[in-house]
Amino acid sequence: MLKRLKKIKVEPKKSEAFVRKLDPAYQVDKGNKIKLVVELSNPDLPLKWYKNGQLLKPGSKYIFENVGLKRILTINKCSLADDAAYECRVNDENVFTEVFVKEPPVTIAKDLDDQQVVVGDRVVLEAEVSEEGAQVMWTKDGVELTREETFKYRFKKDGKKHYLIINEATKEDMGRYKIMTNGGESEAEVIVEDKQLEVLQDIADLTVQASEQAVFKCEVSDEKVTGRWFKNGVEVRPSKRIHISHTGRIHKLVIDDVRPEDEGDYTFVPDGYALSLSAKLNFLEIKVEYVPKQEPPKIHLDCSGKATENTLVVVAGNKLRLDVPISGDPAPTVTWTKDDQVFSAREGRSRLEEKHELSSFIIESAERGDEGRYTITVTNPAGQDTASLIVRVVDVPDPPEAVRITSVGEDWAVLAWEPPKYDGGQPVTGYLVERKKKGSMRWVKLNFEVVPGPTFDSTRMIEGVLYEMRVFAVNAIGVSPPSLNTQPFMPIAPPSEPTHLLLEDVTDTTATIKWRPPEHVGTGGVDGYSVEYCKEGESQWVPAHEGLVDGGGPGVLAESQWVPAHEGLVERCGLTARGLPTGEKLLFRIRALNIAGSGPPATTGPVTVREIVERPKIRLPRHLRQTYVRRVGEPVNLVIPFQGKPRPQVTWSKAAQPLPEAVHIRSSALDSVFFIRAAAREHSGEYRVLLRVEGLEDSATWRLRVV
């Protein structure tokens, strides 16, 4: 600013045009307005304002005012673009000034929050400043973070909010982070801790006899974690008797054919974690004792016995653990069956666990396929006992099926669907419906109270906009996943009835009808028109062509069938219906159609299909009312117009004799053409043309002279 002030021109000489000149410089805060005022010696002097040499024109930004001899320029809502040199010019005299726009300091509206995460987590530091688009600087432990480090840090702006993002935090990312503006700063501490490993199942002490198998097993929370096994501080190596396995989150050490030297302390150490799991292996020497008494096996459940059973209900996704106390001497053999199929798995989602006088059936994250009858049978030399349990898994229902739109209108649509195949084991209590515009990701809930039936009327839609809808089923457990989206559909209304319907012409087998487009067309426009007819007073209708066009809806004779008068749609506002039954009284109706269907019909009154007889009349051209002269070899081509209905029968003769072979006649419904390719003298003579229409006649003669 000081450098620019030093460059401001100083004009010491006295001005003849200006009584009061502009100040050398002005300062204004961004967003405020400023007034530049000069005073002239003569109110009639022409004055112009310039900015950086460009002529200014009055408007909402720049306002020019004349108050007596004063001339005022007001600049509204100053921005950094208004920071410039301004000039006021009267004829050859001018004065200059500088306007400096001061930008207010940017402050911190919302401070950073401290973050405490574990290794690998995502860190997002968020701050909000007072101005959008403000420039900020991020630092870590006093060192500026630059764009060159974007492989590690990502900077993001969203309006007034600024973000510093670390996707996968490491221990090196710990420190104090600061965001700074020209008017404030905020600091937060980021603490990155080592990831903790959770032990889901610890190693248990084992007591085994000679030649038996010892199995140490543990389960941790991360299935990717590896580890090592130690015995008395020495790492265990696999061999023919010793097996080490890692399956998912489960780590095992299996020792076959246990020997006395296998006794000791066993430890599992996960790699990368300050954690260890320990257990002891005790070797038990076999001592044979005489047991004179035996106790029959017994299942200690309320449902024990062959004729009793209980039902257990579990919500899908939950864990089910069936702990069954048992007794017997000697210890009984336990057998589990599911739906009469023996189950013996000791690992996996569904598994068995055996402890002293306790047998457990465990199901992790119950599923629909886990339903069935579970039977436990315990056996020893003294007898047998059995108990059964029915397990039911309840879940949210499957999504509704066959979701479809059955009808649409100008701003509404009717949605229908089929109930889900599986209700989750609980009755479906109702349905929730959502709608969105095609291409949008935002679904709008249409009902907050569930609807009981498999239909829903959606209203307040915009005609001509594509929508999609989906449905959720609800039971006592929760809400189902969403159904498949409907096919995109568009609320659209059919057009109104055609206007100014007019029957223009009728013959023995045809009728010509004209009309004008409907008054209300709507977004769907008009794809075409259907024209139908029916006999007056009849209720049994005969199709006029293959296939029927929709004839339902309001209109005349709504209980009868209407016969299409044509194939396909009529694109223009007019049609000649052909092949009509002669002599019958018919009613015609026209409907406008678009993608939404057919609109209401416009109907004519009864029309008798019969040609109106018109007397034949020859209109002999004027030049044939006297002798028509042609030279030898010249062609003769004459058109004789006439009128009459039905189409007249035309007969030509020459001097009451048939025409020569060189004379050619071509007749239509409106005229007859007389043609000779090359005239000869023998073609001279009197020619006669005769018209006949149902007993009525008209004739005309003319003379041809060939020279």
Side-chain angles (χ1 to χ4, degrees):
M1 183 184 296
L2 293 175
K3 291 181 179 179
R4 289 173 58 187
L5 287 172
K6 291 178 181 179
K7 294 180 181 179
I8 295 176
K9 298 179 180 179
V10 179
E11 300 180 5
K13 68 177 183 177
K14 184 176 181 180
S15 171
E16 296 180 359
F18 295 98
V19 175
R20 175 186 170 188
K21 298 184 180 181
L22 296 171
D23 293 342
Y26 295 84
Q27 180 171 305
V28 62
D29 289 337
K30 180 181 176 183
N32 293 342
K33 69 179 181 180
I34 187 173
K35 291 188 176 183
L36 307 182
V37 183
V38 298
E39 187 173 343
L40 304 179
S41 60
N42 185 349
D44 297 327
L45 290 175
L47 180 143
K48 295 182 179 179
W49 292 95
Y50 294 84
K51 171 187 172 183
N52 290 336
Q54 299 293 322
L55 179 64
L56 296 179
K57 295 182 179 180
S60 60
K61 179 69 176 178
Y62 303 103
I63 300 175
F64 298 168
E65 297 180 78
N66 297 338
V67 181
L69 294 175
K70 292 183 179 180
R71 300 296 182 263
I72 304 172
L73 168 63
T74 302
I75 307 173
N76 289 321
K77 296 182 180 179
C78 291
S79 65
L80 294 180
D82 298 316
D83 189 291
Y86 291 82
E87 176 187 357
C88 180
R89 185 180 301 173
V90 176
N91 295 329
D92 295 333
E93 292 190 40
N94 52 15
V95 290
F96 297 89
T97 188
E98 291 271 348
V99 174
F100 299 95
V101 179
K102 182 180 178 182
E103 190 172 8
V106 178
T107 59
I108 304 295
K110 180 182 176 183
D111 290 327
L112 299 173
D113 293 328
D114 293 339
Q115 302 277 343
Q116 184 172 357
V117 297
V118 299
V119 173
D121 282 356
R122 187 170 185 259
V123 179
V124 179
L125 294 173
E126 175 188 347
E128 185 175 344
V129 298
S130 59
E131 293 287 338
E132 290 191 8
Q135 296 296 322
V136 303
M137 182 174 71
W138 291 90
T139 65
K140 176 194 173 189
D141 296 331
V143 180
E144 181 181 359
L145 301 176
T146 64
R147 297 287 178 184
E148 298 175 356
E149 300 178 82
T150 52
F151 68 94
K152 180 66 177 178
Y153 304 102
R154 186 159 67 93
F155 306 99
K156 178 182 175 184
K157 292 182 181 180
D158 184 6
K160 297 181 181 180
K161 293 183 178 180
H162 293 255
Y163 302 88
L164 173 62
I165 302 172
I166 307 173
N167 283 326
E168 293 185 1
T170 62
K171 297 287 285 185
E172 290 76 14
D173 295 322
M174 291 179 59
R176 301 196 66 82
Y177 290 80
K178 183 185 295 185
I179 181 172
M180 293 186 291
T181 67
N182 61 359
E185 63 182 35
S186 178
E187 188 175 17
E189 183 177 8
V190 175
I191 300 175
V192 183
E193 298 179 344
D194 288 325
K195 192 173 182 180
Q196 299 296 320
L197 185 66
E198 183 180 357
V199 178
L200 302 180
Q201 181 181 345
D202 203 347
I203 306 174
D205 292 342
L206 298 178
T207 301
V208 295
Q209 300 175 357
S211 301
E212 288 185 350
Q213 184 186 69
V215 179
F216 290 101
K217 181 176 72 172
C218 64
E219 184 177 358
V220 295
S221 57
D222 191 347
E223 63 183 14
K224 297 180 181 180
V225 170
T226 59
R228 293 177 294 171
W229 291 88
F230 295 84
K231 175 192 173 186
N232 297 329
V234 179
E235 186 175 355
V236 177
R237 299 293 182 181
S239 64
K240 291 183 179 180
R241 282 195 318 113
I242 301 175
H243 310 283
I244 299 175
S245 65
H246 173 202
T247 305
R249 299 178 303 198
I250 297 176
H251 297 261
K252 279 187 178 181
L253 171 64
V254 180
I255 304 174
D256 295 329
D257 189 19
V258 173
R259 302 169 185 174
E261 59 265 29
D262 294 327
E263 190 175 58
D265 294 323
Y266 287 80
T267 304
F268 174 74
V269 179
D271 294 333
Y273 293 89
L275 174 71
S276 63
L277 308 177
S278 299
K280 187 175 185 65
L281 175 61
N282 299 309
F283 183 82
L284 180 64
E285 295 183 3
I286 300 175
K287 296 182 178 180
V288 179
E289 297 181 1
Y290 174 74
V291 182
K293 182 180 179 182
Q294 292 183 338
E295 180 185 350
K298 178 67 176 177
I299 299 173
H300 299 278
L301 285 178
D302 293 340
C303 59
S304 60
K306 298 180 179 179
T308 61
E309 60 186 28
N310 274 353
T311 299
L312 298 177
V313 179
V314 61
V315 177
N318 290 354
K319 180 177 180 179
L320 174 64
R321 183 184 183 97
L322 302 177
D323 289 328
V324 181
I326 58 176
S327 62
D329 193 6
T333 302
V334 181
T335 303
W336 283 89
T337 61
K338 177 192 174 186
D339 296 331
D340 300 327
Q341 299 292 323
V342 176
F343 186 89
S344 59
R346 302 287 175 172
E347 298 178 5
R349 190 180 60 84
S350 298
R351 62 185 184 273
L352 299 178
E353 288 185 3
E354 300 292 342
K355 294 182 179 179
H356 179 63
E357 295 187 346
L358 184 68
S359 180
S360 301
F361 193 103
I362 301 170
I363 302 176
E364 301 280 356
S365 184
E367 298 175 354
R368 189 184 309 175
D370 296 324
E371 288 189 333
R373 179 193 299 273
Y374 291 81
T375 302
I376 179 174
T377 302
V378 291
T379 306
N380 72 0
Q384 177 178 301
D385 195 10
T386 300
S388 294
L389 298 138
I390 302 297
V391 174
R392 287 187 57 232
V393 179
V394 293
D395 198 357
V396 297
D398 286 348
E401 299 186 339
V403 180
R404 62 202 180 275
I405 299 297
T406 58
S407 59
V408 296
E410 185 175 1
D411 62 349
W412 57 269
V414 177
L415 178 69
W417 61 87
E418 300 295 333
K421 287 185 177 179
Y422 175 65
D423 62 5
Q426 295 288 321
V428 174
T429 57
Y431 301 89
L432 297 174
V433 182
E434 291 183 348
R435 178 183 75 203
K436 76 176 182 71
K437 295 178 182 178
K438 179 173 173 57
S440 171
M441 300 299 293
R442 180 174 174 268
W443 287 94
V444 178
K445 191 178 294 295
L446 299 184
N447 62 313
F448 293 94
E449 296 292 336
V450 295
V451 294
T455 61
F456 183 81
D457 295 339
S458 177
T459 58
R460 297 183 180 180
M461 306 174 79
I462 303 174
E463 185 178 10
V465 175
L466 283 173
Y467 290 91
E468 294 178 353
M469 298 182 74
R470 65 184 184 183
V471 186
F472 300 79
V474 181
N475 67 4
I477 304 303
V479 181
S480 75
S483 68
L484 295 176
N485 297 351
T486 63
Q487 292 295 324
F489 67 93
M490 180 186 297
I492 194 168
S496 60
E497 69 274 5
T499 60
H500 299 89
L501 181 60
L502 174 66
L503 184 69
E504 188 175 69
D505 190 21
V506 180
T507 68
D508 286 345
T509 59
T510 66
T512 300
I513 309 167
K514 291 189 176 180
W515 60 90
R516 290 185 182 178
E519 291 183 358
H520 176 73
V521 174
T523 307
V526 175
D527 294 337
Y529 301 89
S530 67
V531 181
E532 304 166 295
Y533 69 87
C534 72
K535 295 179 182 179
E536 183 184 37
E538 289 194 4
S539 59
Q540 185 64 35
W541 307 92
V542 180
H545 64 93
E546 293 184 1
L548 287 178
V549 177
D550 176 22
V556 180
L557 300 177
E559 296 180 355
S560 305
Q561 294 180 349
W562 289 81
V563 178
H566 59 96
E567 293 186 3
L569 293 179
V570 179
E571 296 183 358
R572 298 183 178 180
C573 295
L575 174 73
T576 298
R578 306 183 185 278
L580 303 177
T582 304
E584 295 288 348
K585 284 189 176 183
L586 301 181
L587 296 169
F588 290 88
R589 71 180 182 187
I590 295 89
R591 294 176 184 268
L593 295 92
N594 64 11
I595 189 173
S598 59
T603 309
T604 67
V607 177
T608 303
V609 182
R610 180 171 27 199
E611 184 105 40
I612 300 174
V613 176
E614 181 181 355
R615 178 178 292 277
K617 178 67 176 177
I618 299 175
R619 301 186 180 276
L620 191 66
R622 182 173 299 178
H623 65 277
L624 295 181
R625 295 176 185 176
Q626 57 188 3
T627 302
Y628 184 66
V629 179
R630 301 296 289 172
R631 294 182 180 275
V632 173
E634 291 182 345
V636 179
N637 189 4
L638 301 173
V639 178
I640 312 299
F642 54 77
Q643 64 185 37
K645 286 188 177 182
R647 178 172 177 171
Q649 179 182 357
V650 183
T651 305
W652 284 85
S653 63
K654 177 185 178 186
Q657 298 296 322
L659 295 177
E661 292 183 359
V663 178
H664 303 280
I665 302 297
R666 184 174 70 251
S667 298
S668 68
L670 299 176
D671 56 35
S672 184
V673 178
F674 180 95
F675 177 71
I676 302 175
R677 188 177 298 278
R681 293 183 181 276
E682 59 267 21
H683 295 149
S684 298
E686 184 179 81
Y687 290 85
R688 181 172 183 262
V689 57
L690 175 66
L691 295 183
R692 289 192 181 93
V693 176
E694 296 187 1
L696 302 176
E697 294 184 354
D698 189 23
S699 65
T701 60
W702 60 281
R703 294 189 62 82
L704 174 64
R705 182 181 175 188
V706 181
V707 297

